[in-house]
Amino acid sequence: MNILQGILWLVTSMGVGTVIRVEHLKKYFPITHGFIRKKIIWLKAVDDVSFEIKDGETFGLVGESGSGKSTTGRTILRLYEPTGGKVYFNDIEVTALSKQELKELRPKMQIIYQDPYSSLNPRLTIFDIIAEPLREYGHENVEDTVLELLEAVGLSEEHAKKYPDEISGGQCQRVAIARALALNPEFLVLDEPTSALDVSVQAQVLNLLGRLQKERNLTYLFISHDLGVVRYLADRVGVMYLGKLVEIGTIEQVFDNPAHPYTRMLLSSIPVPDPKARAIRKEKVIGEIPSPLHPPSGCRFHTRCPYAREICRKEEPAMIELEKGHFVRCHFVGELQ
Amino acid sequence: MRKEETIKILLRNKLSIVGLSIIVALIIIAILASVLAPYPDQALGEPNLKERLQPPSRIHPFGTDHLGRDILSRVIYGARTSLVVGFSVVLLALLIGVSLGLIAGYFGGKVDLIIMRITDIFLAFPPLLLALLIATTLGRGMLNAILALAISWWPWYTRLARGMAISVKERPYVEASRAMGISDWKIMIRHVLPNSLSPIIVQATMDMGSAILEAAALSFLGLGVQPPTPDWGLMVSEGKNYFLNYWWYPVFPGLAIFITVMAFNLLGDAVREVIDPRLRRRLL
């Protein structure tokens, strides 16, 4: 582990480079049918996904429900064991670590969940919830640290004695953030952290996350189906469809110049508070996401794509670099511009 | 869970107050048996042949038995036996059943398969029959009766605990703990167990009555507590021979069993109302 820590220190002290590198990540869930003669169908939740997240950056991951965004986040943290592919954290291959090594790396990578209430154990006080990781890793001054963390997320000492069902959803989410920060992580997976909150509270939590990122030099993987929120917080964004990344780029590249028909469809579904603007919107959202148990052949989007042709049904398109850092998976990238 | 709320709900339901009062009274009677019983020596078995089979009177409110012993005193002492047996059976069954159920539900896979198949084997027997079988094998006596009942009882808690563990382990706070690198055993004890307990506690409270009833049944059949220990089941068993002419002999210990079992069932209902958050909200 000393070597690992050495490498970690070296990489972080240089303050450059990639915090998370995901290479051809796959996560298939077996779905079994029958009792005696088992038939297994594989649900390909994440199928060959590759991307990088740079130090201090927020990488947004968007897509409809069932596109595999949350599974990607969990598999990166090895909360799910990947079926294939590799994940690197600061050049440490997370996917190759033993259980013990993984435990030592865990403090560096944390996760925040969508539902603030169910991410906190209802039988523990706020103090015990935040203290749990500290005690696990033998920190001294647990009490002072918990109070500092509460303050850092905008809560006070009086919340410490309460139970989760005695505080609001927004406050619960702050507690979850405090718990995630307890071990001084470098990388946080934010799995729809604001989707379950009221709009006014959403903004507060987003601002808190933004502030903490600057103060503590955190790197975020921000998973959301809310494109407005992603645009607000993320630096770069990846669009997922049925377990595949279909477009990656900076916020400007993807939002101002979307190249994949699916991205265009998603973007045109953002409500615009201007009735006249409606006429400008081109793409309509057609149909629903197909079952990931039986994904369409070729390009997975062809069943809903207004531009689909013969080749889309047969061949899966490759990732093409449109301009520097802007990748698209479509046969007709150039033509659709 | 807030204490005032809990008390409020418990007191709202009149039947639950009845159940709770009876059980509190029983516990007090069991503790103070030597003070409350008019004839403690007879309760513990000393015969008093001059006053055999006396009907209820001022001196002997519940009458006397075939050895002239005061039935009231023996019923009072019998509360001790019944409560000790009831608590021990349920506690022991909980200990075995809940730990196995949690392990099966939390780890899943082969561990689950093995534990649950063993559980199924135990569940395949009619409960009292299995207890009879074990009691016969182990031999007579109170301790063996407790063991026999607990062994036939734990599979129910295993099922319940397993089901709860399966649903609780999917909750985000459990995954969050895994993300923090906390070991499976600690997660099981700190997060899964406390959040699985509610229905198990309800079940256990209700089972207390059934455990007392089955222990009485074992005593009645001669496999449980042995004379001259004061025990309700045993008294009913001995009294049945005198039932036609001396009705008070089996009736009073029988009533004691009936009231105790009913009280635990009423309390079980009340505990469920307190613990189940949906029922709780409706009642507040």
Side-chain angles (χ1 to χ4, degrees):
Chain A
M1 196 54 211
N2 281 332
I3 303 166
L4 279 184
Q5 277 167 343
I7 296 169
L8 214 137
W9 174 83
L10 209 77
V11 173
T12 47
S13 62
M14 289 192 296
V16 283
T18 312
V19 173
I20 290 286
R21 196 162 83 242
V22 179
E23 286 178 1
H24 306 290
L25 190 68
K26 291 185 183 118
K27 176 63 194 173
Y28 300 168
F29 293 102
I31 309 283
T32 49
H33 290 274
F35 180 65
I36 295 166
R37 260 197 215 165
K38 278 200 176 144
K39 274 187 211 162
I40 297 176
I41 303 176
W42 293 98
L43 190 152
K44 300 182 176 181
V46 179
D47 199 3
D48 200 357
V49 163
S50 306
F51 61 89
E52 288 181 353
I53 310 178
K54 297 200 174 61
D55 190 23
E57 179 183 56
T58 300
F59 185 81
L61 206 53
V62 299
E64 287 163 286
S65 15
S67 58
K69 355 179 253 299
S70 292
T71 310
T72 306
R74 284 171 167 75
T75 315
I76 290 172
L77 299 184
R78 262 183 79 183
L79 291 169
Y80 294 157
E81 285 303 317
T83 312
K86 288 173 182 173
V87 175
Y88 294 90
F89 172 77
N90 285 333
D91 288 328
I92 300 165
E93 193 183 336
V94 180
T95 38
L97 296 180
S98 70
K99 222 178 164 186
Q100 190 52 40
E101 290 168 325
L102 187 63
K103 187 188 165 165
E104 287 176 46
L105 192 67
R106 286 248 181 251
K108 298 283 160 213
M109 312 188 291
Q110 287 298 309
I111 180 165
I112 312 262
Y113 294 93
Q114 176 174 10
D115 182 351
Y117 286 105
S118 63
S119 60
L120 308 178
N121 183 344
R123 311 243 162 208
L124 295 181
T125 60
I126 305 304
F127 181 89
D128 285 327
I129 288 170
I130 302 175
E132 185 180 19
L134 296 167
R135 291 182 183 135
E136 178 72 15
Y137 289 87
H139 274 247
E140 288 157 23
N141 295 327
V142 170
E143 204 160 321
D144 295 339
T145 316
V146 171
L147 294 182
E148 274 168 36
L149 286 163
L150 277 173
E151 213 167 290
V153 297
L155 296 173
S156 61
E157 199 175 336
E158 62 189 275
H159 294 103
K161 281 182 201 136
K162 294 191 170 172
Y163 287 89
D165 67 342
E166 294 173 316
I167 61 177
S168 72
Q171 287 171 331
C172 277
Q173 203 58 300
R174 288 168 190 267
V175 173
I177 294 169
R179 174 180 61 187
L181 293 178
L183 298 171
N184 278 321
E186 291 174 34
F187 172 61
L188 279 185
V189 173
L190 308 169
D191 189 358
E192 311 236 16
T194 59
S195 310
L197 303 174
D198 291 341
V199 178
S200 58
V201 183
Q202 274 188 21
Q204 293 170 13
V205 171
L206 287 175
N207 289 335
L208 172 67
L209 287 169
R211 200 191 77 216
L212 291 169
Q213 183 172 36
K214 282 194 205 98
E215 284 173 7
R216 294 170 180 248
N217 188 33
L218 298 166
T219 304
Y220 288 159
L221 173 63
F222 189 88
I223 298 165
S224 181
H225 61 260
D226 186 335
L227 295 162
V229 169
V230 169
R231 182 169 209 167
Y232 176 72
L233 202 71
D235 303 305
R236 287 193 308 131
V237 64
V239 181
M240 276 191 88
Y241 186 75
L242 277 180
K244 297 244 181 213
L245 270 173
V246 293
E247 185 161 359
I248 305 176
T250 63
I251 285 291
E252 293 76 29
Q253 285 167 339
V254 174
F255 278 74
D256 299 340
N257 188 19
H260 197 282
Y262 179 61
T263 315
R264 291 185 186 186
M265 200 163 101
L266 279 183
L267 287 175
S268 67
S269 68
I270 302 179
V272 183
D274 175 8
K276 286 173 196 160
R278 262 184 212 178
I280 307 167
R281 283 200 265 155
K282 282 176 190 164
E283 250 70 69
K284 272 189 188 164
V285 177
I286 318 165
E288 276 178 32
I289 193 162
S291 161
L293 276 175
H294 307 284
S297 60
C299 172
R300 294 190 176 186
F301 189 58
H302 82 250
T303 50
R304 297 166 78 187
C305 181
Y307 310 104
R309 286 181 220 165
E310 194 55 33
I311 184 173
C312 301
R313 270 177 275 276
K314 286 176 185 157
E315 264 177 59
E316 194 186 333
M319 268 290 196
I320 298 159
E321 188 162 15
L322 199 64
E323 53 181 315
K324 193 171 166 20
H326 190 185
F327 296 87
V328 185
R329 192 187 285 279
C330 180
H331 285 299
F332 304 106
V333 177
E335 295 168 50
L336 298 181
Q337 288 307 305
Chain B
M1 209 175 285
R2 271 143 277 179
K3 271 180 206 140
E4 313 90 67
E5 276 183 21
T6 307
I7 293 164
K8 201 171 150 194
I9 296 173
L10 269 179
L11 294 185
R12 168 160 293 209
N13 186 341
K14 289 200 180 86
L15 283 176
S16 71
I17 304 175
V18 173
L20 193 65
S21 335
I22 293 174
I23 289 162
V24 170
L26 272 170
I27 292 171
I28 293 171
I29 288 172
I31 293 170
L32 299 178
S34 51
V35 183
L36 292 171
Y39 306 95
D41 295 341
Q42 293 176 17
L44 291 171
E46 180 140 322
N48 174 28
L49 296 170
K50 277 179 286 175
E51 294 180 299
R52 292 180 67 222
L53 297 165
Q54 298 273 317
S57 63
R58 239 185 237 165
I59 314 159
H60 300 293
F62 288 3
T64 60
D65 66 6
H66 65 294
L67 294 174
R69 296 172 298 193
D70 181 46
I71 291 179
L72 174 63
S73 302
R74 285 182 64 78
V75 167
I76 288 174
Y77 268 84
R80 275 190 181 171
T81 322
S82 290
L83 289 182
V84 166
V85 172
F87 276 113
S88 322
V89 168
V90 172
L91 216 64
L92 202 60
L94 276 175
L95 212 67
I96 309 170
V98 172
S99 19
L100 284 176
L102 279 185
I103 292 169
Y106 185 81
F107 289 107
K110 278 197 184 126
V111 182
D112 183 27
L113 200 78
I114 294 166
I115 291 178
M116 290 326 286
R117 286 306 82 78
I118 295 171
T119 308
D120 285 344
I121 294 171
F122 276 89
L123 283 174
F125 289 93
L128 190 60
L129 191 71
L130 183 63
L132 273 175
L133 206 77
I134 300 166
T136 318
T137 320
L138 292 174
R140 300 165 176 215
M142 188 161 108
L143 196 67
N144 288 345
I146 291 172
L147 276 177
L149 286 172
I151 291 172
S152 68
W153 219 293
W154 65 267
W156 298 101
Y157 296 130
T158 308
R159 284 217 159 165
L160 207 56
R162 171 181 177 262
M164 285 308 293
I166 286 174
S167 91
V168 172
K169 78 169 176 184
E170 297 298 330
R171 299 202 184 142
Y173 54 79
V174 172
E175 200 182 270
S177 299
R178 288 208 292 128
M180 293 185 292
I182 291 167
S183 72
D184 286 331
W185 293 103
K186 280 187 193 160
I187 292 178
M188 244 165 62
I189 290 162
R190 208 178 296 155
H191 299 292
V192 182
L193 175 66
N195 288 293
S196 306
L197 271 183
S198 309
I200 299 170
I201 289 174
V202 174
Q203 188 63 41
T205 316
M206 294 209 175
D207 283 353
M208 204 76 88
S210 318
I212 290 172
L213 196 64
E214 289 210 2
L218 280 187
S219 303
F220 182 86
L221 295 168
L223 286 164
V225 179
Q226 295 300 306
T229 316
D231 176 79
W232 298 338
L234 196 60
M235 289 167 80
V236 174
S237 170
E238 287 172 339
K240 71 176 189 298
N241 303 324
Y242 303 91
F243 183 52
L244 288 178
N245 299 318
Y246 313 99
W247 59 269
W248 57 86
Y249 190 171
V251 163
F252 287 109
L255 268 178
I257 296 174
F258 167 71
I259 291 170
T260 309
V261 173
M262 187 189 68
F264 275 111
N265 282 337
L266 291 177
L267 185 69
D269 280 338
V271 171
R272 183 172 55 205
E273 281 171 0
V274 172
I275 281 175
D276 186 330
R278 272 161 299 169
L279 277 173
R280 194 186 168 96
R281 229 162 275 146
R282 211 181 309 150
L283 290 167
L284 270 175

